[in-house]
Structure formats: C-alpha cells, structure tokens
Amino acid sequence: MGALRTAFDAVKTKEAVFFSGYALYLVFSYIAFHSFTIFAPADALDPSSQTLFLATVLVARIAVFVVVAFFSLRSSGPQTVISVLVACGIALFGFLVCGMALQFSDDVDFSRILPWLLFGGVCLGAGDAVMVLLWARFCKTLTLRAVYRYVLVCNVLSLVVYFCMTFLPSGVIIPATAVVFVVSSVFVKRSLDIRARIDSEYSRPVAKSAAVRLWRPVFGTAVFCFMSGLMMQISGQQELPLSTVQQTSIVTSAVVVALLLLPALFMKKPFNIGRLYKMALPLSAAGFLLLPLLWNAAGGIVNAFAQLGSMVASIILWCMLADMARDTRLPSALVFSAALACTNVAQLLGILVGFFNASRFTAGSLTLTVAALVSLYLLSMLSLVLFRDKGPGPDEAAAPAPQVVVHEEQWFADRCALLARDHQLTARETEIFAMLARGRNGAFIQEECRVTRNTAKTHIRHIYQKLGVHTQQELIDLIVAEREHLVGDGEGENGIK
C-alpha cells in the first residue's frame, strides 16, 4: 500500500487529471462495444444487429492495426496532434451516423437503417484503434510495475464513471459518450507532452527477439478472446435486459480488478506479471463449466466469467507489450498493432463461429454440454502451453563458463539482483547490468541481447544514471566494494589472512 501511495505522491494533481484520460477511453469502450449501451435509444437492438455491429468494429480495428504496423516499419508515424485529430474526426463522424440512424429507428424500416449503423461501427472501430495506439505510446513511458498499477487504477475509475453513466437518459447516451471520447483524446495529447519521449527505432533482429518472447502471451490472450466472443453468442446473454448486463459486468469486473491490484499493493519485491495469466484460466473455465447448468441465470454470470478471463489476459498483455516496447525501443505502434491485431482476429472468429451456430445451442441441450466440455479441454491444453516449465534458453546455454567458485558466483548474482532492485532497473536493464558487472563491452551486449548499437548505448546510459556512476569501472567497484568490506570483517573476526 505504501508503494502505491508513494507512486501517487510523485504525480502532480494536474498530471493525474490528464493521465486519467485512459479511464475515460475505457468508459467509451464499455459503452460502445461491451455492453452495447450506445444502442439504448433503440430500446434493445436485436441480437443479430448487435453482432453485426461488433463484427464491423473488429474488422475496422484489425484493418487500422495492420496498416499502422506496416507503416511503422518505415517511419516513426505522424505527430501526436495529427493522430488525435484523426481519431476524433473519425469517431465523431461515427457517433453522428449512429445517432441519426437510431433517431429514425422507430419511423423507418430497420433494414434501411442497419447499413448506416454498420458504417458508424466502422468509424467508431477505426477511431478506437487510433486512440488505443496513442495510449499505448503513453504507457511505453512507464516502467512495468508503474504501468501495471496505472492500468488497474484506470480500470477502477472507468467502472465508477461507467456506473454513473448508466443512470443517464437513453437519449443523451451517444452525445455523452462522444464527449468522453473527445476529452480522452485531449488528455492523451497532454499526457504525452508531460512524459519524456522515448526514441524508437526498428531493427529486424530486435523485432524477431521480441516476437519470440511475446508469442506465448499473445497466443494465450487470443484464445481467451476467441472464447469470449464464442460465449457471447451461445450463452443467451443477449436475451437479458440491458440493465442486468450492466450490473453484472460492473460488479464482476470490480471484483477481478481488486484481485489484480493486490500484488501491486502488498508485494514490494518484483513479481512475474506473466504468472497472473493463471487467474484468467479458472475464470474462463468456470464460465464454460457452468454454461450447461446456469445458462442465463444470475444475470448472465456464465458469460461474465468468460469475459473476465479475456479482460484479465488483455490487461496483463497490455502491460507486457508496454514493457517490451520500452525495453527494446521498438515503435510502440508496431508492438501493440501486431499483438492487438491477433487478439481482435481471434475475437472476431469466436463471434462468427458462435453466431452461425447459435441456433444449435439451447438451455439443457446436448450440443451445449459438448461445446462446454470441448472448451474446457482447449483451456486445459492452453494451460500446458503457457505455463509449462521452460528449460535453459539458448542464451543461457551459450553463456561462458563461470570464472569464480560457486559460492562467490552466487554472492555476485545476489549482489547484482539487490542493486538492480534497489535502483529500480527494468528487466532488460537488469540483464545488461549483470553483463556490465562481468566486464562485458557494448558490442557483446548488442549481440547477446539482439539489440541495435544505439539501443545498447541507451540502456547502458540509463543504468549509469540510476546507479549514480559514470563509467563501467565505477559500476564494478560499486559491487566489489561490498565484497571487500565483508572479507575484511571476516579476517578481523577469525584471524584469517
């Protein structure tokens, strides 16, 4: 708790207001894409139309992510202000189209309105994708622990704001959501201006190394997104009243976010954020396990479980992507676009599979039971892929033989780990710090870590700054001084020379 309080104290009130813009973006996402509250003026749009709307949103997102990933290989991307204007312009046009279509839903045949709603969904999806990448650029400026706390706190704030907005009259939902989106876009611009810019550069070896390290969490999150999209179609959740869906979503999400906050509040030592994926597995599994029994009972709780599994996995993946972009200096647009394109494709496939087979699933049917059991089996196989014990990696196997005895090497490793933790070095900085302490030069670090020369220099400079040293010899002396102090004490006490 003290660590979290210290983090908040370090942020000025004005900065905290701007940083909270990510919470407003999440509110927009909840209203437009998760609970379909945006369709409240149409008095519960039919499930098929909601599915088509969400599918067009996902297609638009995927298209934007693919295009951005492609162009980020060749350029640093447009300026922040241009990206903000593009996101706002596209999204506001989408809000306008959807609002006008819903206004005429009672007077005009719905088949004539649906194409306009889908076009509005394309605009909202494209604007959403651009906004996501802007907040991703901001999260890249934070350390792993900081971005983890930040994302969870913003999720808490977003649930509070979302809860308040559920009491608004249905006629003002779309204008209010548009205002939330615009304010979020203004805040992300100011937030990026406040934070120091981290230079980015693309390198094929670095990108390949990052892909090797990230494929497991991306694959795992994609599976959870597929299950989430599938469950949305087969659980009967769309038959529930909007207010019931909103209440269930708010309560269950709040409980899960509170559980995720516990490590950040009470664990002072660095923790492996990837292990939190284990929380997502039982949540999704519980949804499919209870599906044949509860169906639509308890406010659609079985659907909520599957959605929460996807939510947990997405939060963890977001933090890992931000940390990877920060450590490797790869463009955040490339790292996030590639990963999010995969998860959105998986969710789209889950929705389509469920949509075209939804008629086969009814409460108590054998098909429903079989689908639940198959899904549980897939989740079990996923756990084996994600959490199996990994042997020594190629880098470890190629490491040079130790030049000191075992107990001294263990002391050296412990000393390096302690200094890295005390000076808040990132995971990549800790790795490079250990190499510098062993006398390795920049060329060795560049080849061993598969980073460019400039990236290696940047990491080394940051390590020196955090440790308060200016040369590699001073860094080594910082470690050896403690050893000499301990040896001197031992000689004085035991008379050993």
Side-chain angles (χ1 to χ4, degrees):
M1 186 71 74
L4 190 62
R5 187 181 300 112
T6 302
F8 282 129
D9 292 341
V11 179
K12 299 178 181 179
T13 303
K14 185 178 180 180
E15 294 177 352
V17 171
F18 293 134
F19 295 169
S20 66
Y22 182 62
L24 296 180
Y25 161 75
L26 293 175
V27 173
F28 154 74
S29 183
Y30 287 143
I31 292 176
F33 311 132
H34 296 287
S35 66
F36 298 111
T37 306
I38 195 173
F39 292 135
D43 192 21
L45 211 61
D46 66 278
S48 297
S49 300
Q50 292 182 11
T51 299
L52 290 174
F53 177 83
L54 183 55
T56 57
V57 168
L58 291 172
V59 169
R61 281 182 185 167
I62 295 167
V64 171
F65 289 144
V66 170
V67 171
V68 171
F70 176 78
F71 281 103
S72 63
L73 299 176
R74 292 166 169 78
S75 65
S76 58
Q79 295 180 351
T80 302
V81 64
I82 296 177
S83 299
V84 168
L85 291 175
V86 169
C88 284
I90 297 175
L92 288 177
F93 188 68
F95 281 118
L96 178 63
V97 171
C98 288
M100 293 181 64
L102 294 176
Q103 283 287 335
F104 295 103
S105 60
D106 294 332
D107 304 321
V108 181
D109 182 65
F110 187 75
S111 61
R112 299 176 61 183
I113 294 177
L114 182 59
W116 290 100
L117 285 177
L118 299 183
F119 178 68
V122 170
C123 295
L124 291 177
D128 171 77
V130 177
M131 186 61 65
V132 164
L133 296 178
L134 285 169
W135 282 112
R137 190 188 302 177
F138 169 76
C139 288
K140 178 183 177 180
T141 66
L142 306 175
T143 63
L144 178 59
R145 182 178 285 267
V147 75
Y148 180 73
R149 294 169 177 164
Y150 171 74
V151 170
L152 291 178
V153 170
C154 284
N155 270 272
V156 173
L157 294 175
S158 67
L159 290 174
V160 174
V161 178
Y162 174 50
F163 174 75
C164 295
M165 291 188 67
T166 59
F167 294 100
L168 293 176
S170 60
V172 301
I173 287 293
I174 292 181
T177 308
V179 170
V180 167
F181 186 90
V182 172
V183 174
S184 176
S185 66
V186 173
F187 282 7
V188 72
K189 171 63 171 60
R190 297 301 301 271
S191 298
L192 287 170
D193 291 341
I194 292 171
R195 298 292 297 180
R197 180 181 176 86
I198 297 180
D199 294 331
S200 301
E201 58 178 329
Y202 172 74
S203 169
R204 181 173 294 182
V206 177
K208 183 178 179 180
S209 176
V212 171
R213 294 163 61 186
L214 285 173
W215 81 265
R216 286 176 184 271
V218 171
F219 173 73
T221 306
V223 172
F224 286 119
C225 289
F226 175 85
M227 294 296 187
S228 172
L230 180 66
M231 176 68 85
M232 183 183 296
Q233 300 301 314
I234 69 175
S235 68
Q237 178 252 3
Q238 293 172 323
E239 301 169 5
L240 294 170
L242 175 60
S243 59
T244 303
V245 175
Q246 291 172 337
Q247 294 168 5
T248 304
S249 174
I250 291 172
V251 173
T252 54
S253 298
V255 172
V256 169
V257 171
L259 292 175
L260 288 174
L261 265 174
L262 292 178
L265 292 176
F266 299 107
M267 289 185 65
K268 295 182 180 179
K269 297 181 179 180
F271 61 96
N272 185 352
I273 195 172
R275 292 179 180 176
L276 295 176
Y277 264 108
K278 294 182 179 179
M279 183 185 292
L281 281 169
L283 287 173
S284 283
F288 285 95
L289 181 64
L290 297 174
L291 181 59
L293 303 176
L294 297 182
W295 185 244
N296 240 347
I301 192 67
V302 294
N303 178 269
F305 273 121
Q307 304 301 322
L308 291 175
S310 173
M311 172 185 171
V312 170
S314 298
I315 289 175
I316 303 307
L317 178 63
W318 180 274
C319 297
M320 297 177 73
L321 294 174
D323 185 58
M324 181 63 67
R326 178 185 177 87
D327 267 359
T328 62
R329 296 300 191 271
L330 287 171
S332 60
L334 173 63
V335 176
F336 279 85
S337 292
L340 296 179
C342 294
T343 58
N344 277 264
V345 167
Q347 185 180 0
L348 177 61
L349 290 176
I351 289 174
L352 294 178
V353 170
F355 178 74
F356 289 110
N357 294 276
S359 59
R360 303 180 183 181
F361 301 102
T362 56
S365 68
L366 178 61
T367 306
L368 185 66
T369 303
V370 171
L373 293 176
V374 170
S375 300
L376 285 173
Y377 175 77
L378 291 176
L379 289 171
S380 300
M381 293 300 100
L382 175 64
S383 67
L384 295 178
V385 172
L386 291 181
F387 308 122
R388 67 184 181 189
D389 294 331
K390 295 184 289 184
D395 293 341
E396 295 173 346
Q403 301 298 316
V404 293
V405 294
V406 174
H407 70 275
E408 289 184 347
E409 175 65 19
Q410 184 60 49
W411 173 88
F412 183 84
D414 292 342
R415 175 65 176 162
C416 288
L418 178 62
L419 286 171
R421 183 170 64 250
D422 289 345
H423 293 84
Q424 297 182 343
L425 301 186
T426 67
R428 176 50 66 90
E429 288 171 351
T430 300
E431 180 184 358
I432 294 176
F433 169 57
M435 296 181 193
L436 291 171
R438 287 176 169 83
R440 306 300 189 188
N441 58 23
F444 177 89
I445 293 171
Q446 176 183 345
E447 182 175 352
E448 189 74 8
C449 297
R450 296 180 181 178
V451 297
T452 64
R453 181 182 178 183
N454 289 336
T455 299
K457 283 184 174 182
T458 301
H459 282 306
I460 294 172
R461 184 175 71 253
H462 289 170
I463 292 170
Y464 287 173
Q465 290 173 348
K466 291 182 179 181
L467 293 175
V469 299
H470 301 88
T471 64
Q472 186 174 9
Q473 186 59 51
E474 290 183 12
L475 181 147
I476 296 174
D477 292 342
L478 185 65
I479 300 173
V480 175
E482 179 70 12
R483 181 63 173 169
E484 292 176 347
H485 174 70
L486 293 175
V487 172
D489 289 346
E491 291 178 354
E493 293 176 4
N494 302 316
I496 299 175
K497 296 184 179 180

